[in-house]
């Protein structure tokens, strides 16, 4: 997998590229995307995968001009254009799923295959989503992982809270990434998507960990109801980071899209 | 020197086991701890204390804005200031301030401050905080990464609403207003403005560029504040500001005065402990929404340098709090010496005196306040004599002030209008 740069109207965009096969654009969640992500590697076995980073993620440039949901949606559509892709399979995880939905709703004729892995974007009063922005790092694994112990191990690898330089680096990364994510997720990850979902024409596969403690499965049913013909694949013993916990099953579900 | 008697208005009945049983004094504090009947008495007591201090020679009395907060039950400082405007005279009304990014539209602040300035006869000292992340992001839902942009736009709108004599259209990103034409207008043509800051370079520059006073409102005391204020003064020099008047800066300090140092500990330590242990018990997840601070500020290392002690205040004893300068307490002479160190060390002309602390009852608060006003303040008054005429950062009240509650008696009215009754 290679890390490359493509120019767009708003800002140069960093993206990972790898694999061979049908073009697939993967939009990452609020936590970003690391080079060694096993999900990416698995996807790349059968697809030519492009995974652009939102501005501020990884080493990519920030973009103050991107402020709201429409800005993010159009920017991401610009990225797909800039990569020279026409109607690739569009897949998004969590925040990335929200962006993918918006793209498919805004310009339905440009997205014919949509893979949504526990997407954000809706709000159900009876199932409030925990406040990701008020969570301390040590509190996160219990929401993100079914196997909390393994998740904790994964999330704390390399953490050195007592090293001021490490801490500063972490705070900067967090401010850049979650600052950007906050533009569409804070304080409630609902920017009116529910009134636009009816526009989606794409063949849609929803993938959800049935133990998701961040965006509970009630949301899976809300998405399924709102997107005509959407198919829901529930995965047992997985929480929000289902892409890491059940990589093979997620990739198998997405293979329904071609 | 300008001394402002400042009241945070803390709730006084947080239980002994507050830290153990509750995760935060702010944002999601348990509403069952609030008692409106008790608040009725508390608000009136706090306003009485503000009014009392105005009779003792303080230059200003100060209020501020917090939301969903157990140590500051003042979501609307303007309501308190309006009450104070009627019941005080001569003293400056320091509203430090209104979190202008939270008002929709922000002309509301231009209007209310203009009202306060008119009611008080030009006694308003205005403050425009960005607002803490707890207030602005977690309670009032502003998007962290856009908060500063919205703040700056609100500032430009308010300034123009005060200054432009004609109606104008304001096509902002966050505010679309076709007819801005506030009515009333403030008495003061150059409103003195103080900006609370916490070490961000952007706020240093904002103050320097607009000739606003930079206020560091910390509870960590003057010793820990040294690096931050030095950062500000370095910036003042770097940016070639026309002067380095100490009135370009202000500092908040917890102060307790008694006859002797020992007496101060005996009288005040439980209230200081209440404040530092219970009132400052904030869930760290609410401290700083990602995106609220600029990358430049984080990179400067300011946060770790100026932040409260890493393991919080909870374990600090009276001795620690005094030695580390979080609290200045003791006999009038001890307090004078330490205040002088503070004023010289930080080079600050404006002092926000936090003389009500935590659950301090009114008698102790009056006692400490009077001792400070009579035995400490006069000895510090004339520091920085070369800048004594610098009035850019303080209010300029009207010479002739209205007298509230001055209606004629009913008989005189009847005579004047020629009625029979």
């Amino acid at each position: 997998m290679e890390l490359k740069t493509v120019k767009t109207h708003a800002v140069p965009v960093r993206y990972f590229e790898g694999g061979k096969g049908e073009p697939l654009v993967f939009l990452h969640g609020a936590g970003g995307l690391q080079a060694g992500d096993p999900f990416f590697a698995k996807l790349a076995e059968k697809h030519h995968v492009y995974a652009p980073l939102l501005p501020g993620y990884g080493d990519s440039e920030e973009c103050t001009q991107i402020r709201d949901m429409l800005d993010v949606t159009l920017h991401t559509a610009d990225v797909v254009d800039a990569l020279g892709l026409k109607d690739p399979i569009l897949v998004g995880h969590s925040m990335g799923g929200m962006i993918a939905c918006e793209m498919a709703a805004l310009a339905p004729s440009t997205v014919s295959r949509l893979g949504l892995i526990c997407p954000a974007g809706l709000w159900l009063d009876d199932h409030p989503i925990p406040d990701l922005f008020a969570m301390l790092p040590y509190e996160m694994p219990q929401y993100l992982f079914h196997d909390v112990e393994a998740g904790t191990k994964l999330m704390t690898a390399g953490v050195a809270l007592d090293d001021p330089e490490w801490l500063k680096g972490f705070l900067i990364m967090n401010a850049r990434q979650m600052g950007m994510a906050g533009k569409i997720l804070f304080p409630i990850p609902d920017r009116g998507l529910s009134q636009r979902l009816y526009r989606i024409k794409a063949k849609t596969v929803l993938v959800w960990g049935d133990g998701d403690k961040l965006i509970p499965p009630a949301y899976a049913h809300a998405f399924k109801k709102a997107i005509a013909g959407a198919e829901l694949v529930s995965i047992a013993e997985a929480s929000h980071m289902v892409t890491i916990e059940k990589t093979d099953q997620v990739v198998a579900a997405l293979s329904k899209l071609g | 020197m300008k001394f402002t008697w400042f009241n945070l208005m803390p709730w006084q009945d947080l239980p002994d086991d507050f830290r153990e049983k509750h995760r935060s004094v702010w944002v999601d504090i348990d509403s069952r701890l609030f008692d409106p009947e008790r608040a009725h008495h508390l608000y009136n007591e706090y306003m009485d204390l503000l009014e009392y201090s105005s009779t003792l020679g303080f230059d200003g009395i100060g209020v501020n804005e917090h939301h969903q907060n157990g140590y500051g039950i003042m979501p609307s400082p303007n309501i308190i200031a309006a009450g104070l405007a009627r019941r005080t005279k001569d003293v400056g009304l320091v509203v430090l301030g209104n979190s202008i990014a939270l008002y929709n539209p922000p002309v509301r602040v231009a209007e209310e401050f203009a009202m306060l300035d008119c009611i008080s006869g030009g006694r308003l000292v205005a403050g425009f905080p960005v607002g803490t992340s707890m207030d602005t992001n977690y309670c009032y839902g502003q998007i962290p990464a856009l908060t500063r942009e919205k703040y700056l736009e609100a500032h430009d709108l308010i300034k123009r609403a005060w200054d432009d004599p004609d109606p104008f259209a304001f096509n902002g990103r966050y505010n679309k207003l076709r007819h801005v034409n506030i009515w009333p207008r403030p008495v003061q043509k150059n409103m003195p403005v103080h900006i609370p800051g916490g070490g961000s370079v952007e706020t240093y520059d904002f103050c320097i560029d607009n000739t606003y006073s930079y206020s560091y409102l910390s509870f960590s005391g003057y010793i820990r504040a040294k690096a931050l204020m030095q950062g500000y003064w370095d910036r003042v020099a770097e940016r070639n500001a026309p002067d380095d008047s100490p009135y370009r800066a202000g500092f908040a300090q917890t102060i307790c005065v008694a006859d002797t140092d020992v007496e101060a500990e005996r009288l005040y330590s439980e209230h200081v402990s209440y404040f530092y242990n219970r009132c400052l018990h904030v869930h760290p997840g609410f401290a700083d929404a990602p995106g609220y601070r600029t990358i430049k500020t984080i990179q400067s290392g300011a946060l770790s340098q100026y932040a409260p002690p890493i393991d919080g205040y909870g374990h600090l004893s009276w001795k620690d709090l005094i030695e580390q300068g979080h609290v200045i307490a003791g006999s009038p002479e001890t307090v004078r010496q330490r205040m002088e160190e503070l004023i010289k060390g930080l080079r600050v002309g404006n002092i926000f005196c936090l003389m009500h602390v935590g659950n301090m009852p009114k008698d102790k608060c009056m006692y400490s306040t009077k001792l400070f006003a009579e035995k400490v303040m006069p000895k510090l008054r004339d520091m920085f004599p070369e800048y004594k005429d610098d009035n850019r950062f303080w209010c300029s009240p009207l010479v002739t002030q209205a007298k509230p509650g001055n209606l004629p008696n009913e008989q005189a009215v009847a005579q004047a209008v020629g009625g029979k009754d």
Side-chain angles (χ1 to χ4, degrees), chain A residues 67 133-134 168 172 186, chain B residues 137-138 142 149 173 283 299:
Chain A
R67 295 181 178 83
F133 294 89
K168 189 159 124 185
I172 290 171
F186 189 93
Chain B
N137 306 131
Y138 290 103
Q142 301 301 310
E149 187 176 69
R173 186 172 296 282
H283 171 55
Q299 269 165 346

Side-chain angles (χ1 to χ4, degrees), chain B residues 66-215:
Chain B
H66 283 309
H67 301 274
Q68 304 177 194
N69 183 329
Y71 76 71
I73 55 170
M74 203 160 24
S76 171
N78 299 357
I79 288 179
I80 303 295
L84 297 175
R86 292 270 302 167
R87 304 252 310 158
T88 59
K89 53 183 186 175
D90 306 327
V91 75
L93 297 176
V94 183
V95 182
L96 198 55
N98 283 184
S99 303
I100 55 179
L102 303 182
Y103 292 77
N104 181 24
V107 283
R108 179 81 188 191
V109 174
E111 290 172 333
E112 289 191 4
F113 275 178
M115 284 178 72
L116 282 172
D117 206 38
C118 288
I119 296 170
S120 67
R123 289 192 280 136
L124 180 67
V125 177
F128 297 144
V130 174
T132 66
S133 192
M134 298 72 135
D135 290 315
T136 305
N137 306 131
Y138 290 103
C139 295
Y140 265 41
Q142 301 301 310
I143 292 173
L146 304 179
T147 301
R148 274 159 217 281
E149 187 176 69
K150 197 175 176 200
Y151 167 85
L152 291 172
E153 181 179 309
H155 166 264
D156 293 348
L157 172 55
I158 291 165
K159 279 293 285 175
R160 190 163 169 206
W162 278 344
D163 296 342
D164 196 329
D166 298 310
F168 62 90
F170 189 85
N171 180 26
R173 186 172 296 282
Y174 301 94
N175 301 278
K176 305 277 183 196
L177 300 167
R178 187 60 189 84
H179 307 282
V180 181
N181 183 33
I182 63 155
W183 185 266
R185 304 274 172 152
V187 168
Q188 300 181 83
K189 295 300 163 221
N190 292 303
M191 183 71 77
V193 175
H194 292 225
I195 306 286
S200 79
V201 184
E202 291 82 0
T203 311
Y204 292 161
D205 288 351
F206 184 64
C207 289
I208 296 164
D209 293 344
N210 290 288
T211 320
Y212 293 160
S213 187
Y214 182 86
S215 300

Side-chain angles (χ1 to χ4, degrees), chain B residues 5 36 47 132 154 163 225 242 244 326 383 389:
Chain B
W5 196 95
M47 290 175 81
T132 66
D163 296 342
D244 63 349
H326 300 281
M383 293 176 76
D389 298 323

Side-chain angles (χ1 to χ4, degrees), chain A residues 62 64-68 131 133-136 139 164 167-168 171-172 174-176 178-180 182-184 186-187 191, chain B residues 23 136-138 141-146 149 173-174 283-286 288-291 293 295 298-301 303-304:
Chain A
E62 290 177 90
T64 53
Q65 299 307 307
I66 295 178
R67 295 181 178 83
D68 61 15
D131 185 359
F133 294 89
M135 254 178 228
L136 299 174
E139 295 174 320
L167 192 62
K168 189 159 124 185
L171 288 174
I172 290 171
N174 199 43
R176 278 162 49 85
M178 292 303 284
M180 172 69 226
K183 292 175 182 178
I184 55 174
F186 189 93
R191 297 294 187 267
Chain B
R23 80 163 180 172
T136 305
N137 306 131
Y138 290 103
Q142 301 301 310
I143 292 173
L146 304 179
E149 187 176 69
R173 186 172 296 282
Y174 301 94
H283 171 55
F286 294 141
D288 215 341
R293 308 260 178 207
I295 301 299
I298 305 174
Q299 269 165 346
S300 75
L303 299 184
S304 53

